[in-house]
Each structure stands twice: as C-alpha cells, then as structure tokens.
Amino acid sequence: GAVVSQHPSRVICKSGTSVKIECRSLDFQATTMFWYRQFPKKSLMLMATSNEGSKATYEQGVEKDKFLINHASLTLSTLTVTSAHPEDSSFYICSAQTALQETQYFGPGTRLLVL
Amino acid sequence: AQSVTQPDIHITVSEGASLELRCNYSYGATPYLFWYVQSPGQGLQLLLKYFSGDTLVQGIKGFEAEFKRSQSSFNLRKPSVHWSDAAEYFCAVGGYGNKLVFGAGTILRVKS
C-alpha cells in the first residue's frame, strides 16, 4: 500500500516552455501533498505544501508564479514549471501524506532538463 | 529550530558486516522520526518510522533504528549488509501534520 506515482519520469523541454508534472496517490487519499526539489548530491528542498482544494503554501524563496501547484482532488497534485529556463533543470519529487498526517510517501521523481 | 544532522557523508562497509548510520535531531515537540532510502535516480522509500512506544523499531529490508531521547538520536542499524543496500540514506524529523526536515544524507558503499 501507500504507492505514489509521478508522470513523466523524465522530460526534456526548450527554454521558455511550460512543463506539467503529475503526482498521484494510487491506493490512498492524500489531503496533503508536498513538492521537493533535489539538486545533484544534495538533500531534498521543500518547495511547497499542497492541500486539496486550497492554495499551496510556498517555502521562502520559491517563486509561486513560476512553480504553479494545483491539488484538485484527493489523489492528484500537479506542478507546472512555467517559462522554464536551464536553471530549473533538476529532480523534482512529490510526496503524499496519509489522512492521519503522520507519514509521507514519496513518488519516484521526475528528471527535468531544460535546454 | 528544527534540524537533522547526519554526521557521515559517506560510509563504506564490507558485505556481510554490520552497519550503523548516525542521526541526531533537534525538534521542539514530540518528534516523529523517519529513515528513507534513495537509490540513484529514484524517489525515496520509507524504511521505518518512530512515533511513540517501543524505542527500538523494526523496518523493511532487515533495518532497525533506536530512538534515544536523552541523546536526541535515531541511529539506523543493520546486522549484515548486502550489496543491494548501497544507496543514500536520509533521516528526517517531523511532527503531526508538519512538514519533514531532512538530514543531508549518508551515502553507503558496500564493498565485496
């Protein structure tokens, strides 16, 4: 149980385009989902907390207009990187928290490369 | 402030040897403690967690961890390491409904 999927697993796009990443909890309902960014050989950096049906809460220094987060249902959250630039290239990982709000289960990650 | 320290960036052990990965935390309330493992290019897999009760918790893949409140530690152990255990290990602390704070990670190398 507690499986989280992400799609796509990797994406290459041109500078200036937008990319959408989906995060789904497959076998449980997640009222809260989290989006992280991981730089090479670094730990995870929390970008934002997403609650179903409400606006996401962004961490300090994360541009909310650049990283759009939508959490439209209890099993789906999306991260859209708008007007992507090469510096946005990274590994993006989502997690979903169970209803008991105790444990986060992580997706497999999405590798984004912006050319 | 909440923080997690994993003092060892890299650890190398021989296959079949025992393993201990260190984790120290700072948290203002009752901590929820986690160990996750990440293989290259993959997401994080939950190994084990501690919320309350017995301070020695068992996880998947033969791992265990012991919560020591007096030392603010939550060290991960495995009695006999397998080559497939080579990965990066993250300790994390959080609380009810709160976001997780991660350590910097420890990369485990297993030599045959």
Side-chain angles (χ1 to χ4, degrees), chain A residues 3-111:
Chain A
V3 178
V4 178
S5 71
Q6 272 184 252
H7 178 79
S9 58
R10 57 177 61 211
V11 56
I12 301 173
C13 69
K14 293 182 179 180
S15 186
T17 61
S18 295
V19 174
K20 180 184 283 188
I21 303 170
E22 292 186 349
C23 176
R24 294 181 185 271
S25 57
L26 298 184
D27 52 2
F28 67 100
Q29 292 185 330
T31 53
T32 305
M33 290 185 172
F34 301 84
W35 287 95
Y36 295 83
R37 185 172 177 175
Q38 188 176 31
F39 293 97
K41 302 186 179 182
K42 296 289 186 183
S43 187
L44 280 74
M45 181 192 80
L46 180 64
M47 299 174 65
T49 302
S50 165
N51 289 296
E52 186 265 338
S54 62
K55 290 185 178 181
T57 302
Y58 290 81
E59 295 299 301
Q60 192 172 9
V62 177
E63 299 176 60
K64 60 182 67 177
D65 294 330
K66 179 166 194 61
F67 299 101
L68 301 179
I69 292 172
N70 182 277
H71 192 161
S73 77
L74 287 172
T75 59
L76 173 64
S77 177
T78 59
L79 167 68
T80 301
V81 183
T82 63
S83 187
H85 288 94
E87 57 266 30
D88 298 323
S89 299
S90 193
F91 193 54
Y92 293 89
I93 307 177
C94 74
S95 71
Q97 194 170 52
T98 60
L100 293 176
Q101 297 191 17
E102 294 175 340
T103 304
Q104 290 184 34
Y105 294 93
F106 286 80
T110 296
R111 175 78 57 192

